[in-house]
């Protein structure tokens, strides 16, 4: 067990009384935990797996205003989303970046009446969208941000200009439109930085991963699922932020089986592709396009590879999911539709992921019509329970603020601080030109320029702290000749970022798996380091290694053969 985890459990052992318990350590739960702790409340966050390992581990990696929500008439959601997008561009500039986007357009008037009907809630599945409805939507998008614009306004391009700029796009286009949204490079890291900020600013509050909670006569029992230890805690209120598992958690905490469900999830899958021709054809842009079934799909450059998605399939129950062969074929076919002359196949897929969107219960036949908005539902009981329904990555802070305000009213506590302008982690003090920070690392700490660029992109202004830690260790060398991460940096993550398992480290504190650079030798080296840092037995370390390998194959399409093949011609330093 790390010193950080031991300290958190000792804090509960010494005092088990909390003002609020938040159940669920996805981005919504982390957001409300931070909001409440900053108001001076003592808060306990309990996550049964790792932080941001459920629904929050499978986003599109977009931070966006929701252009298509305009078609559903959800103007308030678009306005909120754009405000939150711009706030993240300011507050977490090391992780959230502008994303120029192109929309291919094949007609002028198509979809105009359908869009109007959709806006009024009178339509189901959309028809193809032409230039006029797209123009109207983008004009509204620009109008919402007119007073505090951070990103350029939209533009339309002729057929000739489109062909000149994106020659590989599908033939038959009449126009294209460009606009800006944003993307997030390491979403799980943003969640961790919110937690480490809260740990520093609000030391009386406690965040636990790999823990479960059950009601008991004295209050609640919190169980460490790694050691089996249990402790009793009490609280004045519970916030249920378990996303797709919301209704299951209600039954477990309140014992209210048979009630009408609040959540109706849909499954979304994404692919990470190693296809240089496709990456080049994108020209640094995301392409936002319609598949043949009317579903909006996306493809954009991501960490040296290409991210493509997504599907939207109803699911009957909450569980961990993976991208099915049929979904992979669907996404690949959509790419062949938009880039017909580029060879794109299953052999290009280096990683896949899927998750369940925790959407409000809906009877819409077309899943794209289900609202991506959010609301809370209060449940009575010996301890009141406030349930967070819906939401998405972009609006997590706004949803957390709304939920926290309801809790504060319930507990008759004032709000002390707002978070709209509050920086996150390495976004604090982040310069307008990140090259200034990179030069500081080179001049102040003797860092290699390439590694300085990597550290700034991952840790922002916290890169100084990470590099200072690394400089004190003798193992500050790369874990692989082709990977910028060092053993010392990996040790920093284990000690300071709530790492309790090998999967925590590899899948959610690093990008080695999702960007296709993870090999079997890297897994072996990191297993050895984790064993040393956490004092694991050899059998336990080996079990975690096998669990990770199995998880990669079952849920991410990364086979043992793929991991072994990446060992070739590589110089890896193992512990």
């Amino acid at each position: 067990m790390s010193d950080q985890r031991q300290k958190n459990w000792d804090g509960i052992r010494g005092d088990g009384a909390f003002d609020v318990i938040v159940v669920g350590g996805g981005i919504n739960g982390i957001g409300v935990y931070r909001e409440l702790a900053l108001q001076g409340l003592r808060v306990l966050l309990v996550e049964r797996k790792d932080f941001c390992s459920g629904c929050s581990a499978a986003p599109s990696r977009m931070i966006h205003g929701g252009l298509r929500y305009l078609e559903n008439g959800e103007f308030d959601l678009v306005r909120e989303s754009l405000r939150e997008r711009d706030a993240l561009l300011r507050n977490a500039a090391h992780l959230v970046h502008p994303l120029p986007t192109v929309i291919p357009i094949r007609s002028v008037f198509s979809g105009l009446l359908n869009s109007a009907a959709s806006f009024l809630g009178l339509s189901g599945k959309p028809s193809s969208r032409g230039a006029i409805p797209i123009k109207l939507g983008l004009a509204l998008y620009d109008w919402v941000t007119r007073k505090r614009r951070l990103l350029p306004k939209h533009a339309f391009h002729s057929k000739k200009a489109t062909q000149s700029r994106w020659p590989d796009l599908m033939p038959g286009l009449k126009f294209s439109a460009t606009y800006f949204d944003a993307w997030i490079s390491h979403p799980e890291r943003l969640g961790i930085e919110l937690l480490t900020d809260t740990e520093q600013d609000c030391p009386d509050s406690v965040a636990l991963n790999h823990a479960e909670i059950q009601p008991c006569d004295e209050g609640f029992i919190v169980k460490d699922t790694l050691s089996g230890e249990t402790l009793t805690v009490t609280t004045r209120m519970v916030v249920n932020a378990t996303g797709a598992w919301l209704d299951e958690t209600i039954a477990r905490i309140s014992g209210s089986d048979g009630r009408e469900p609040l959540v109706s999830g849909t499954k979304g899958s994404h692919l990470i592709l190693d296809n240089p021709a496709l990456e080049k054809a994108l020209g640094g842009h995301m392409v936002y396009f319609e598949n043949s079934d009317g579903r909006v799909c996306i493809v954009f450059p991501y960490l040296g590879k290409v991210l493509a998605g997504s599907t939207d399939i109803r699911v009957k129950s909450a569980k961990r999911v993976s991208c099915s062969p049929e979904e992979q074929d669907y996404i690949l076919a959509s790419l062949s539709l938009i880039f017909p002359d580029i060879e794109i196949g299953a052999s290009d897929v280096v990683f896949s992921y899927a998750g369940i969107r925790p959407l409000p219960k809906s009877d819409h036949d077309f899943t794209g019509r289900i609202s991506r908005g959010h609301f809370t539902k209060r449940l009575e009981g010996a301890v009141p329970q406030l349930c967070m329904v819906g939401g998405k990555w972009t609006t997590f802070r706004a949803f957390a603020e709304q939920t926290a305000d309801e809790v504060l009213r319930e507990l008759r506590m004032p709000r002390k601080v707002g978070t709209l302008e509050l920086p996150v982690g390495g976004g604090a003090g982040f310069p307008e030109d990140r090259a200034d920070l990179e030069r500081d690392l080179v001049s102040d700490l003797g860092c290699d320029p390439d590694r300085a660029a990597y550290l700034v992109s991952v840790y922002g202004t916290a890169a100084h702290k990470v590099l200072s830690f690394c400089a004190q260790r003798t193992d500050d060398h790369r874990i692989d000749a082709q990977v910028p991460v060092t053993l010392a940096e990996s040790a920093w993550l284990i000690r300071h970022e709530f790492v309790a398992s090998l999967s925590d480290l590899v899948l959610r504190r690093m990008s080695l798996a999702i960007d296709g650079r993870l090999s079997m030798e890297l897994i072996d080296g990191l297993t050895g380091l984790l064993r040393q840092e956490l004092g694991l037995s050899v059998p336990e370390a080996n079990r975690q290694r096998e669990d990770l390998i199995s998880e990669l194959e079952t849920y991410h399409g990364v086979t043992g053969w793929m991991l072994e093949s990446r060992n070739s011609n590589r110089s890896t330093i193992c512990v």
Side-chain angles (χ1 to χ4, degrees):
M1 181 183 291
S2 68
D3 292 342
Q4 182 185 40
R5 187 174 181 84
Q6 186 67 59
K7 177 185 175 184
N8 285 338
W9 278 94
D10 288 346
I12 301 174
R13 194 176 293 109
D15 182 359
F18 291 89
D19 295 306
V20 182
I21 294 177
V22 178
V23 184
I27 192 58
N28 285 335
I30 291 173
V32 75
Y33 167 75
R34 173 205 192 208
E35 286 278 343
L36 290 169
L38 287 171
Q39 312 316 317
L41 278 66
R42 187 167 190 244
V43 190
L44 173 64
L45 173 64
V46 180
E47 164 57 44
R48 65 178 174 180
K49 298 296 184 181
D50 186 27
F51 299 120
C52 289
S53 63
C55 307
S56 298
S60 65
R61 267 65 181 173
M62 291 175 62
I63 300 294
H64 64 106
L67 179 62
R68 70 179 180 83
Y69 306 156
L70 290 172
E71 206 171 61
N72 293 350
E74 296 183 284
F75 192 76
D76 286 344
L77 177 58
V78 173
R79 181 167 49 201
E80 178 184 72
S81 298
L82 288 170
R83 182 194 68 205
E84 297 301 313
R85 179 202 69 184
D86 290 352
L88 282 167
L89 282 166
R90 294 188 300 267
N91 297 334
H94 58 311
L95 298 177
V96 180
H97 317 278
L99 178 61
T101 301
V102 58
I103 305 175
I105 304 173
R106 289 178 286 185
S107 66
V108 177
F109 297 103
S110 177
L112 184 58
L113 293 177
N114 185 271
S115 295
S118 299
F119 188 85
L120 297 172
L122 303 175
S123 176
K125 181 178 176 180
S127 62
S128 179
R129 301 152 182 94
I132 291 180
I134 290 173
K135 178 70 176 178
L136 290 173
L138 292 175
L140 280 171
Y141 223 52
D142 289 340
W143 183 81
V144 170
T145 57
R146 66 196 182 281
K147 294 181 180 179
R148 45 180 175 76
R149 187 177 310 282
L150 289 183
L151 300 174
K153 296 172 67 174
H154 82 276
F156 261 67
H157 310 284
S158 67
K159 177 179 180 179
K160 182 177 180 180
T162 301
Q163 290 176 336
S164 175
R165 194 165 184 182
W166 296 281
D168 294 300
L169 276 176
M170 62 190 303
L173 297 178
K174 294 184 178 295
F175 312 95
S176 67
T178 53
Y179 74 101
F180 276 76
D181 255 322
W183 69 287
I184 181 167
S185 53
H186 306 88
E188 299 92 341
R189 288 206 53 77
L190 180 65
I192 293 298
E193 292 190 8
L194 289 166
L195 289 172
T196 53
D197 283 354
T198 307
E199 182 180 54
Q200 177 179 321
D201 298 336
C202 313
D204 288 339
S205 291
V206 179
L208 297 176
N209 54 356
H210 301 282
E212 293 180 343
I213 189 165
Q214 293 282 354
C216 67
D217 291 340
E218 296 80 16
F220 294 89
I221 295 293
V222 177
K223 179 181 179 180
D224 183 342
T225 59
L226 302 179
S227 69
E229 180 182 6
T230 61
L231 296 172
T232 301
V233 295
T234 60
T235 187
R236 301 163 64 189
M237 193 164 190
V238 170
V239 174
N240 182 346
T242 53
W245 288 266
L246 186 89
D247 293 303
E248 175 187 308
T249 304
I250 290 173
R252 187 173 75 250
I253 292 178
S254 301
S256 50
D257 289 317
R259 67 184 314 281
E260 187 70 18
L262 293 174
V263 172
S264 174
T266 68
K267 176 187 174 187
S269 293
H270 298 78
L271 305 178
I272 304 297
L273 304 162
D274 186 1
N275 188 311
L278 178 59
E279 184 184 17
K280 181 180 179 181
L282 292 169
H285 286 64
M286 179 175 81
V287 180
Y288 181 91
F289 65 99
E290 296 172 3
N291 203 355
S292 56
D293 60 357
R295 164 120 186 106
V296 171
C297 295
I298 58 169
V299 56
F300 64 93
Y302 179 75
L303 301 182
K305 300 296 189 297
V306 173
L307 187 154
S310 158
T311 57
D312 199 11
I313 302 169
R314 283 189 180 274
V315 294
K316 294 182 179 179
S317 60
K319 60 181 179 179
R320 189 166 184 188
V321 292
S322 62
C323 178
S324 69
E326 293 77 16
E327 288 176 286
Q328 177 172 294
D329 291 344
Y330 173 90
I331 296 171
L332 293 175
S334 75
L335 296 178
S336 295
L337 174 70
I338 201 73
F339 290 106
D341 295 331
I342 297 178
E343 187 174 341
I344 306 169
S347 61
D348 297 330
V349 180
V350 297
F351 191 85
S352 64
Y353 63 93
I356 297 176
R357 303 178 183 93
L359 306 179
K361 189 176 185 302
S362 171
D363 295 325
H364 271 298
D365 293 330
F366 186 68
T367 54
R369 292 288 185 233
I370 302 176
S371 174
R372 266 53 174 178
H374 52 77
F375 62 91
T376 60
K377 174 73 174 179
R378 187 184 188 279
L379 301 179
E380 299 293 344
V383 176
Q385 182 180 168
L386 192 62
C387 301
M388 301 179 73
V389 184
K392 61 195 185 86
W393 257 94
T394 303
T395 57
F396 81 86
R397 191 213 63 85
F399 193 11
E401 180 181 66
Q402 171 195 334
T403 306
D405 285 343
E406 293 186 44
V407 172
L408 291 170
R409 283 194 295 270
E410 177 87 20
L411 301 183
R412 301 180 184 275
M413 300 282 289
R415 172 172 281 276
K416 296 181 178 180
V417 61
T419 55
L420 181 62
E421 305 297 332
L422 190 63
V424 178
F430 198 79
E432 287 191 18
D433 186 353
R434 64 181 55 221
D436 293 342
L437 186 53
E438 294 170 15
R439 284 190 288 269
D440 289 344
L441 292 179
V442 174
S443 61
D444 297 347
L445 297 169
C447 185
D448 174 83
D450 289 340
R451 189 180 177 203
Y454 154 76
L455 290 169
V456 169
S457 71
V458 175
Y459 302 102
T461 52
H464 276 94
K465 189 183 299 183
V466 176
L467 199 55
S468 295
F469 171 87
C470 293
Q472 299 171 20
R473 293 176 58 113
T474 59
D475 59 351
D476 189 28
H477 46 67
R478 293 190 177 193
I479 57 177
D480 183 287
Q482 299 180 28
V483 172
V485 183
T486 68
L487 284 170
E489 179 191 342
S490 304
W492 164 271
L493 296 174
I494 295 168
R495 293 188 185 188
H496 300 281
E497 296 198 349
F498 305 94
V499 170
S501 75
L502 187 61
S503 290
D504 297 349
L505 177 65
V506 173
L507 294 177
R508 287 171 293 277
R509 307 303 185 274
M510 299 176 165
S511 60
L512 297 176
I514 197 170
D515 68 18
R517 291 185 292 182
L518 186 66
S519 69
M520 196 67 80
E521 288 178 345
L522 280 173
I523 290 175
D524 290 340
L526 291 171
T527 301
L529 178 66
L530 190 78
R531 180 172 61 82
Q532 289 183 4
E533 289 292 326
L534 297 185
L536 303 178
S537 66
V538 172
E540 172 60 17
N542 289 337
R543 183 193 66 78
Q544 291 197 22
R545 175 186 180 276
E546 294 307 312
D547 285 351
L548 172 62
I549 293 170
S550 175
E551 185 176 4
L552 286 164
E553 181 161 3
T554 303
Y555 296 107
H556 301 294
V558 180
T559 66
W561 176 86
M562 291 169 67
L563 292 169
E564 293 285 359
S565 69
R566 296 171 187 170
N567 290 339
S568 304
N569 302 316
R570 297 171 69 150
S571 174
T572 304
I573 302 172
C574 298
V575 178

